Amino acid sequence: MATEGEKGQVKLLGVTLSPFVVRVCIALALKGIDYEFIQEHFLHPKSELLLKSNPVHKKVPVLIHNGKPICESMIIVQYIEEAWGNKGPNLMPKDPYERAIARFWAAFVDDKLFPSMQAALLGQGGQLQKAVEESVTNFLLIEEALRTNHCFAGKVYFGGDEIGLIDIALGGLSAFIKGVEKATESVLIDPEKMPLLSAWMDRFCKIDVVKEVMPDPAEYISVRRARMISPPTAN
């Protein structure tokens, strides 16, 4: 198990603009894990190391720990918690039920919310409007969970007093969310309709470790469009 200062044991293959890479960077920072960041590039061919480390999806992020690659952002975050559970805050609840609920909503972010926002970014006309409405509906479901689910209600973060799995899953997309709002001239998180979610987003984005790794929304959207391909699928 790596400790601070042992950079050679922990490497992260990523792109600084990727919201999925941001998730992993936040988790590593919260745990105080020292690592080597190996930059991939949106506009350049994928490196041999990336293709070797993730031969199935060929996408970032990939965490390499003691020479062993782990792929998919939320799988990596859970691995970080299990491998360095004695360091920093707990990223996963200790209670089995609350842990299952955290996994459910993290999966909701990737399986429902992100695809709807991606469709909004790529859509035009009626398709755009439909995707925006679907995105808002998904955010409203999260707002309702913040209000009524006893695992979250009245707490500072989804994880309680500290950032947890859902915070990282959703918060890692915050620059992407703001970029989609700007690109589509829409409001996805309305403070009047979603006061709890809006307040949570403000708190999350003000955390130092988050501010240090969060990309500029306009830059992210600009690069994606320059490449003329759709944004990355959830990884």
Side-chain angles (χ1 to χ4, degrees):
M1 185 177 298
T3 59
E4 292 185 26
E6 293 179 315
K7 282 191 175 183
Q9 293 192 9
V10 184
K11 300 178 181 180
L12 175 60
L13 309 185
V15 177
T16 53
L17 292 179
S18 167
F20 305 108
V21 174
V22 167
R23 289 171 167 176
V24 179
C25 290
I26 292 172
L28 289 168
L30 289 171
K31 287 292 187 180
I33 306 302
D34 198 12
Y35 64 98
E36 177 185 356
F37 187 85
I38 301 177
Q39 177 77 32
E40 295 285 328
H41 299 278
F42 276 132
L43 304 178
H44 295 281
K46 297 173 182 179
S47 71
E48 288 298 322
L49 180 58
L50 174 59
L51 297 176
K52 177 182 178 182
S53 301
N54 189 358
V56 176
H57 297 298
K58 303 178 177 64
K59 292 180 179 180
V60 296
V62 177
L63 185 77
I64 302 177
H65 184 201
N66 292 330
K68 300 176 181 178
I70 304 98
C71 308
E72 305 287 323
S73 64
M74 296 314 297
I75 292 176
I76 295 172
V77 171
Q78 293 179 67
Y79 174 85
I80 290 170
E81 172 59 28
E82 293 174 358
W84 292 281
N86 61 332
K87 292 176 62 68
N90 293 320
L91 304 182
M92 294 286 289
K94 296 299 183 183
D95 179 78
Y97 175 76
E98 293 185 1
R99 193 157 57 243
I101 294 300
R103 287 179 172 137
F104 172 85
W105 284 105
F108 176 84
V109 171
D110 281 352
D111 297 342
K112 295 287 289 183
L113 180 60
F114 179 78
S116 66
M117 290 192 296
Q118 177 175 276
L121 182 61
L122 300 175
Q124 296 181 348
Q127 290 182 336
L128 167 61
Q129 184 60 32
K130 181 180 178 181
V132 168
E133 291 175 356
E134 183 180 351
S135 298
V136 171
T137 297
N138 288 329
F139 278 119
L140 284 169
L141 290 172
I142 299 175
E143 172 75 14
E144 180 68 9
L146 278 172
R147 187 175 67 84
T148 62
N149 192 304
H150 78 275
C151 295
F152 318 132
K155 297 181 179 179
V156 179
Y157 301 107
F158 288 95
D161 293 331
E162 298 175 328
I163 291 176
L165 189 75
I166 307 172
D167 300 285
I168 293 173
L170 181 58
L173 302 183
S174 58
F176 179 68
I177 295 169
K178 294 174 183 178
V180 173
E181 286 183 320
K182 183 175 182 179
T184 60
E185 298 181 346
S186 61
V187 177
L188 300 180
I189 302 179
D190 187 333
E192 293 187 0
K193 296 180 180 179
M194 308 174 209
L196 298 177
L197 184 57
S198 178
W200 168 85
M201 182 68 78
D202 288 343
R203 287 194 298 271
F204 183 85
C205 291
K206 290 178 181 178
I207 298 171
D208 288 339
V209 298
V210 173
K211 290 190 292 184
E212 289 173 2
V213 299
M214 194 63 64
D216 176 70
E219 183 182 3
Y220 172 78
I221 298 301
S222 174
V223 170
R224 296 307 309 182
R225 286 181 166 174
R227 197 179 178 197
M228 297 186 67
I229 63 172
S230 62
T233 54
N235 201 330

